[in-house]
Amino acid sequence: QVQLQQSGPGLVQPSQTLSLTCAISGDSVSSNSASWNWIRQSPSRGLEWLGRTYYRSKWHNDFAVSLKGRITINPDTSKNQFSLHLNSVTPEDTAVYYCTRSRDGYIDYWGQGTLVTVSS
Amino acid sequence: QSVLTQPPSASGTPGQRVTISCSGITSNIRSNFVYWYQQLPGTAPKLLIYKNNQRPSGVPDRFSGSKSGASASLAISGLRSEDEADYYCAAWDDSLSVWVFGGGTTLTVL
């Protein structure tokens, strides 16, 4: 059974960087058949896919065009986890953030979610 | 504004059958599989239907999915009070190169 455990601050100041980590159990971040995604959910934007990292002989990243330049997703093989960093945040980035796994082409497992509020 | 279109609400009485629609376009639903997620209050979405009409183990056969062209539907038969939740459809979009979601349908069991 795959489990994704999220951690990170629930409050970020405007213009700062939002950072969250997702610890994986029951699978490997280096798996050749899985992808590791970040998705957020807010009343105004609904569910929004942010990006993913995955390993296929080498590491790959894909990001939503709307966030390119502000987002990085990094795997950490030593801790079997991956992280999200979103810089220059504004109140519009306030949302519940989820880490998820994709396998066989679809999102099957979700983390518990982290409410991140951008406010001073 | 979500890329996939769902009705904001649906309702039914216990035992009834309800359907929830999801409308997209060629680059997403017509070209790719559709997935459905159930989100209970205060929890993360849970995979309900994958690849248009497949149920993960543990999902009751009261839940079924279908797809035709650029639209898809989720049907719930034998409605139960514990089915009260938000339901979301999702698909990969080939033009945007992102996962896209519906705006969600809140199901009320009367």
Side-chain angles (χ1 to χ4, degrees):
Chain A
Q1 178 78 344
V2 174
Q3 291 189 321
L4 304 174
Q5 182 66 40
Q6 301 177 216
S7 59
L11 180 64
V12 181
Q13 294 199 337
S15 80
Q16 298 302 301
T17 297
L18 180 161
S19 295
L20 296 172
T21 298
C22 182
I24 303 162
S25 58
D27 201 346
S28 170
V29 71
S30 303
S31 166
N32 273 296
S33 54
S35 298
W36 306 96
N37 311 266
W38 287 96
I39 291 170
R40 67 183 178 184
Q41 183 176 29
S42 65
S44 59
R45 303 167 77 103
L47 285 163
E48 181 183 11
W49 180 83
L50 307 180
R52 64 184 175 186
T53 189
Y54 57 98
Y55 186 77
R56 303 289 186 270
S57 302
K58 66 176 184 177
W59 288 102
H60 300 266
N61 285 301
D62 297 314
F63 303 117
V65 172
S66 60
L67 295 174
K68 273 186 179 174
R70 288 209 296 142
I71 185 172
T72 57
I73 297 177
N74 298 319
D76 183 342
T77 57
S78 66
K79 295 182 179 179
N80 200 31
Q81 63 186 30
F82 63 108
S83 61
L84 166 71
H85 302 280
L86 184 65
N87 59 36
S88 305
V89 295
T90 71
E92 286 66 47
D93 293 310
T94 294
V96 177
Y97 286 75
Y98 294 100
C99 62
T100 72
R101 184 188 82 161
S102 300
R103 194 178 180 95
D104 294 331
Y106 59 93
I107 299 167
D108 53 1
Y109 288 96
W110 298 62
Q112 80 275 23
T114 301
L115 173 60
V116 179
T117 302
V118 178
S119 174
S120 54
Chain B
Q1 191 167 353
S2 300
V3 174
L4 306 181
T5 302
Q6 296 181 236
S9 64
S11 64
T13 56
Q16 265 191 332
R17 182 176 186 271
V18 297
T19 60
I20 297 171
S21 62
C22 175
S23 178
I25 58 176
T26 296
S27 60
N28 44 63
I29 291 182
R30 187 180 294 276
S31 301
N32 296 298
F33 289 119
V34 176
Y35 303 87
W36 290 91
Y37 297 89
Q38 178 193 59
Q39 186 174 32
L40 298 170
T43 70
K46 168 194 161 188
L47 181 65
L48 200 62
I49 297 288
Y50 67 98
K51 294 185 179 180
N52 299 337
N53 54 20
Q54 302 300 301
R55 283 186 308 277
S57 60
V59 173
D61 58 7
R62 301 186 297 106
F63 295 90
S64 61
S66 63
K67 186 184 102 167
S68 178
S71 295
S73 292
L74 172 70
I76 310 171
S77 60
L79 203 59
R80 304 174 70 161
S81 58
E82 56 259 41
D83 297 333
E84 278 204 342
D86 292 330
Y87 293 85
Y88 295 89
C89 57
W92 180 260
D93 190 293
D94 291 334
S95 294
L96 300 173
S97 295
V98 299
W99 281 98
V100 292
F101 296 89
T105 299
T106 298
L107 174 65
T108 302
V109 180
L110 302 169

